[in-house]
Amino acid sequence: METTEDDYAALLRGQAPRGLLWLDPPVAPPDILAMLADVAAGVRAHFAPASWLIAAEGELVGLCSITRPPADGAVDLGYGIAPGRQGRGHMRAALRAIAAWADARPDVAALTAETAEQNIASQRVLARAGFARVGTRVDAEDGPLIRWRYAAG
């Protein structure tokens, strides 16, 4: 589900939006939710949607965000699933739905994402959702990263 400013306001109050169930522990801690709300607001000023709620069986299980306004048709994604709901296929299903969304948009040429080299679970999720490994880079904060790309269309 595409997020709204009201969704982030609810998350920042410690409530799941849209009548979804709040998990314990939640999708992300308050400081990360505040950062995601700011990123979404910045992206939303130039492109929509800016992010999505990931829900399953009436629970808010995760979030997927565009990390910056798209450049040259490439949409960079960041995502996370609540700790107690990982390993159940929620992120793969969400990425496949977002890939279908990208396939239907003439202004989106590709989806991209990055994972830490040691994050094998996230690498598997991306590969199973149709993303291909396209390179690596080293980030000052996050260390070695693997770059992934899904060619839309």
Side-chain angles (χ1 to χ4, degrees):
M1 294 179 264
E2 181 179 344
T3 61
T4 66
E5 290 178 16
D6 290 341
D7 294 329
Y8 279 106
L11 292 169
L12 291 170
R13 289 191 308 270
Q15 302 170 336
R18 304 185 196 195
L20 296 169
L21 296 175
W22 186 253
L23 300 178
D24 185 23
V27 170
D31 59 327
I32 299 297
L33 291 172
M35 181 270 303
L36 293 173
D38 289 344
V39 169
V43 170
R44 197 177 290 113
H46 303 280
F47 186 83
S51 59
W52 297 268
L53 301 170
I54 302 169
E57 299 176 13
E59 297 177 326
L60 174 62
V61 298
L63 292 166
C64 185
S65 301
I66 296 174
T67 60
R68 64 178 173 78
D72 298 323
V75 174
D76 293 327
L77 300 176
Y79 55 84
I81 296 292
R85 299 302 183 269
Q86 294 173 353
R88 299 182 185 186
H90 299 308
M91 195 66 246
R92 180 180 42 177
L95 285 173
R96 284 183 175 166
I98 293 168
W101 163 85
D103 288 339
R105 294 210 33 160
D107 58 340
V108 176
L111 300 173
T112 61
E114 295 180 328
T115 60
E117 281 187 353
Q118 62 272 26
N119 191 342
I120 303 302
S122 189
Q123 293 170 37
R124 286 184 186 136
V125 165
L126 288 165
R128 289 177 180 158
F131 285 68
R133 184 179 169 153
V134 294
T136 61
R137 75 178 185 90
V138 177
D139 183 81
E141 283 185 36
D142 298 323
L145 300 173
I146 299 171
R147 298 194 45 78
W148 296 83
R149 183 177 181 92
Y150 171 86

